[in-house]
């Protein structure tokens, strides 16, 4: 059983099983729906089994590795493997995708295609997190774009074609830079390409070349995990997409960019990263302040949540830029924690939209009396989003703060300044979160409306929100769940920077 290809199974199963949807008998959507949810649950159980019983936590090297020659002509291998950093995002992917397919119950139009795209997206998201080959990483990265584009342009809101086109232009344009960086690293210094992560991690480049590579990868990942000024596709896309797509976008797609920054920019290009990290920190602080102050001005509820998630990604960038154990651990914890919180907020925004069919916040008000359960879960998760102690966001942001303060790279004055600016961002976060709650749920606007009778959230929606809420509180109470996965690998990465 030790050399059983677990990861290949995990990556290939969803898209393979999804292509079988088109052969199912078409008697209503119920069969397709249950089939998709069943595949997601089987996949989640498979990953948890493989990671629970086949993965040693104290080993910072790649595990569960597979290495099959794929294309003989230019040494292209199917290389998969996971380590402490990628195990968290993969499990997060399984969890959020299962809940998103469960959340997509109301979709009845073209439900075969929809559920196939959800499953294809599942494969395309686990792919980058588990690939050990640069070209395979790129291919999986691209596999992601097509399902998202179709899900946007077919099941979106009114301006869905505009936002889908904007999304595909931004992300496909950025992946050109990714491809150039991949080919540059692969072809440097040898005749036949070396695309393996392990060999290119030990490779050393001339500093100028390494900086060029770094800029290319940075542009690609800055579009995906939106780093200002390349973030403008995100609010449009989130404002138009159906909320199950939003859950996948906010929960997983954004995390691929941050994961790429850690995996490629930090591990493979350490000299350039130590040159660029002060700029990353400056950009991250600007991003926290900017997004947190742009968010209250948004009328659209989903756009407001989208800007809040841009602001939370700033903490990840700062954690990556502070070259310290604590900071990087905090960034990885924030990746997991914002994956849960962002997905839950978009889900609740979508369910309340299903109730009242209003998008703009200034038309809402007084919904707390009509839908008390949604109100309760929305309040709790907004508190989690503004980093209430006892929730996962608080631990992650605290670790990022500590990471900057204990970093050996920066002077004391700069550290104090950065922390001060970040603290301003922490003050701005409750402002937009609580004003969003106030505009939606308090007041008298909808209370005397003629259609004031709404159904409250049903058992399915309650199940989704509670099963996202439990890990958030669990990580907040006992963060060692996630930290114990990544701490050895993080130590190995950081030791690169100080002992060269």
């Amino acid at each position: 059983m030790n050399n059983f290809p677990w990861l290949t199974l995990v990556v290939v199963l969803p898209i393979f099983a999804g292509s079988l949807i088109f052969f199912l008998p078409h008697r209503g959507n119920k069969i397709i729906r249950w089939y998709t949810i069943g595949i997601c649950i089987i996949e989640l159980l498979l990953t948890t089994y493989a990671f629970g019983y086949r993965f040693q936590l104290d080993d910072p090297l790649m595990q569960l590795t597979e290495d099959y020659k794929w294309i003989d002509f230019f040494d292209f291998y199917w290389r998969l493997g996971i380590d402490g950093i990628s195990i968290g995002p993969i499990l997060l992917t399984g969890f959020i995708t299962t809940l998103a397919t469960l959340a997509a119950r109301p979709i009845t139009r073209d439900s075969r295609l929809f559920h196939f795209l959800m499953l294809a997206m599942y494969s395309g998201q686990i792919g980058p997190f588990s690939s050990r080959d640069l070209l395979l990483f790129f291919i999986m990265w691209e596999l992601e774009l097509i399902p998202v584009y179709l899900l946007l342009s077919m099941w979106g809101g009114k301006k869905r074609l505009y936002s889908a086109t904007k999304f595909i232009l931004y992300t496909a344009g950025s992946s050109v830079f990714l491809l150039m960086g991949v080919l540059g690293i692969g072809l440097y210094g040898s005749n036949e390409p070396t695309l393996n992560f392990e060999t290119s991690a030990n490779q050393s480049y001339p500093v100028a070349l390494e900086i060029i590579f770094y800029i290319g990868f940075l542009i690609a990942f800055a579009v995906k995990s939106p780093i200002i000024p390349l973030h403008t596709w995100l609010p449009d896309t989130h404002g138009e997409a159906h909320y199950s797509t939003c859950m996948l976008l906010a929960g997983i797609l954004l995390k691929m960019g941050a994961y790429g920054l850690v995996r490629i920019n930090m591990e493979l290009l350490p000299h350039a990263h130590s040159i660029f990290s002060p700029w990353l920190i400056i950009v991250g602080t600007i991003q926290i302040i900017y997004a947190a102050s742009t968010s209250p001005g948004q009328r659209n509820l989903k756009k407001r949540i989208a800007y809040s998630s841009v602001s939370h990604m700033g903490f990840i960038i700062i954690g990556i830029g502070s070259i310290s154990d604590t900071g990087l651990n905090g960034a990885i914890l924030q990746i997991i924690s914002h994956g849960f919180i962002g997905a839950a907020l978009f889900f609740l925004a979508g369910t309340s939209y299903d109730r009242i069919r209003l998008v703009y916040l200034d038309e809402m008000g007084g919904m707390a009396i009509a839908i008390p359960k949604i109100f309760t879960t929305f309040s709790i998760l907004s508190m989690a989003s503004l980093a209430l102690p006892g929730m996962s966001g608080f631990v992650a942001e605290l670790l990022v703060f500590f990471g900057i303060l204990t970093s050996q790279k920066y002077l004391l004055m700069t550290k104090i300044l950065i922390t001060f600016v970040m603290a301003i961002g922490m003050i701005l976060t409750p402002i937009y979160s609580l004003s969003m709650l106030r505009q939606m749920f308090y007041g008298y606007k909808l209370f005397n409306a003629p259609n004031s009778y709404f159904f409250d959230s049903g058992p399915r929606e309650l199940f989704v929100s509670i099963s996202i809420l439990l890990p958030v509180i669990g990580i907040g109470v006992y963060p060692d769940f996630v930290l114990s996965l990544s701490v050895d690998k993080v130590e190995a990465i950081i030791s690169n920077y100080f002992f060269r």
Side-chain angles (χ1 to χ4, degrees), residues 414-435:
T414 46
K415 292 199 280 201
I416 292 174
L417 195 66
I418 288 167
T419 322
F420 183 67
V421 180
M422 278 172 77
I424 297 177
M426 301 278 287
I427 297 168
L428 288 173
T429 311
I431 294 179
Y432 64 77
S433 267
L434 298 175
S435 76

Side-chain angles (χ1 to χ4, degrees), residues 119-159:
L119 286 173
M121 212 165 152
Y122 199 166
S123 283
Q125 282 155 344
I126 294 186
F129 292 138
S130 59
S131 71
R132 281 190 311 136
D133 191 279
L134 280 165
L135 197 53
L136 184 65
F137 181 86
F138 174 74
I139 287 174
M140 291 295 188
W141 184 271
E142 288 294 280
L143 181 67
E144 191 58 16
L145 300 185
I146 307 152
V148 182
Y149 176 73
L150 287 175
L151 286 171
L152 264 177
S153 56
M154 292 181 70
W155 290 273
K158 282 178 187 154
K159 295 197 317 188

Side-chain angles (χ1 to χ4, degrees), residues 25-79:
H26 195 70
R27 294 197 207 92
N29 301 323
K30 196 176 234 179
I31 305 174
I32 298 168
R33 210 176 275 144
W34 282 113
Y35 175 76
T36 314
I37 292 173
I39 294 292
C40 286
I41 290 172
I42 289 171
E43 174 83 350
L44 188 53
L45 291 176
L46 264 178
T47 37
T48 21
Y49 171 76
F51 293 172
Y53 292 98
R54 301 270 175 267
F55 186 84
Q56 277 82 39
L57 285 180
D58 46 4
D59 181 10
L61 296 171
M62 285 280 184
Q63 296 175 47
L64 294 178
T65 52
E66 297 162 30
D67 207 333
Y68 307 117
K69 185 160 255 189
W70 190 354
I71 301 175
D72 225 6
F73 178 58
F74 56 102
D75 280 344
F76 182 32
Y77 289 83
W78 171 263
R79 285 197 189 93

